[in-house]
Amino acid sequence: ERRVTAVLDLTTTELADEIAGGVMSAGPTRLHAAIAAGLPQVLSVGAVDMVNFGPPDTVPAAYQGRLLHRHNPQVTLMRTTPDESQRIALRIVESLTPARAPTILLLPRLGVSALDAPGQPFHDPAADEALFTTLRDRLANHEYVRVVDRQEHINDPSFADFAASTLIKLIAAAGSTHNERDPL
């Protein structure tokens, strides 16, 4: 019905579950709907540092030696490795490659989740850098996708403000004749 004019999608954690076999995958077409509809969008990589499982006894044996965090009695989280982070980035690149509407991908350089902040159990600069570098390198020359590094944590209010103001600019640009591909 064309009621949606743009998309703000900051928490793409289901991609980690899709790549590493967690229980919260949204399937292989995660990120495809907005692109198929030709919608402008602002995206980020919120919580792609964690793979979801049920209680600790449900974590597959192959992952028992990994960094695990008991979120609550029903949810156990596993930190993604640099290799998994790169694979998540490649899935994002694959999903965004067909984009033909302005797409802004925000990279929160100071952490992608509350557990990934400095001093927290999932803080892993090498895994984050594998994600960020792959995204930046693979999307550098895309006509419609712009990667924006932010020296903020994904949970910083300034990150949310920037994401929202960027989305508003995309919506305004879509309704005008000025440069729709780079509203920043």
Side-chain angles (χ1 to χ4, degrees), residues 9-13 15 31 42-50 85 88-89 92 105-109 111-113 116 128 131-132 135 154 159:
D9 188 356
L10 301 181
T11 305
T12 50
T13 186
L15 296 167
L31 300 179
V42 175
L43 306 169
S44 193
V45 289
V48 298
D49 61 320
M50 58 184 69
S85 296
I88 292 164
I92 293 169
L105 178 60
L106 304 177
L107 302 182
R109 302 290 300 181
V112 302
S113 78
D116 184 38
D128 289 348
L131 175 77
F132 299 147
L135 290 168
I154 196 158
F159 187 85

Side-chain angles (χ1 to χ4, degrees), residues 109-131:
R109 302 290 300 181
L110 301 183
V112 302
S113 78
L115 292 175
D116 184 38
Q120 296 302 311
F122 282 6
H123 182 66
D124 185 343
D128 289 348
E129 192 56 38
L131 175 77

Side-chain angles (χ1 to χ4, degrees), residues 66-166:
R66 297 277 298 274
L67 178 56
L68 301 173
H69 174 79
R70 187 174 178 185
H71 181 65
N72 62 42
Q74 293 79 34
V75 177
T76 304
L77 304 172
M78 179 181 74
R79 178 52 159 115
T80 53
T81 65
D83 177 65
E84 289 162 345
S85 296
Q86 183 180 40
R87 290 172 39 217
I88 292 164
L90 291 171
R91 176 63 61 91
I92 293 169
V93 169
E94 177 186 317
S95 296
L96 297 184
T97 296
R100 294 297 174 259
T103 301
I104 309 296
L105 178 60
L106 304 177
L107 302 182
R109 302 290 300 181
L110 301 183
V112 302
S113 78
L115 292 175
D116 184 38
Q120 296 302 311
F122 282 6
H123 182 66
D124 185 343
D128 289 348
E129 192 56 38
L131 175 77
F132 299 147
T133 298
T134 303
L135 290 168
R136 243 185 291 105
D137 291 352
R138 298 291 179 105
L139 293 169
N141 297 315
H142 195 288
E143 184 178 1
Y144 292 92
V145 178
R146 180 170 176 201
V147 178
V148 178
D149 283 299
R150 299 292 298 175
Q151 292 303 316
E152 297 158 317
H153 187 276
I154 196 158
N155 291 332
D156 288 345
S158 57
F159 187 85
D161 290 344
F162 185 81
S165 66
T166 301

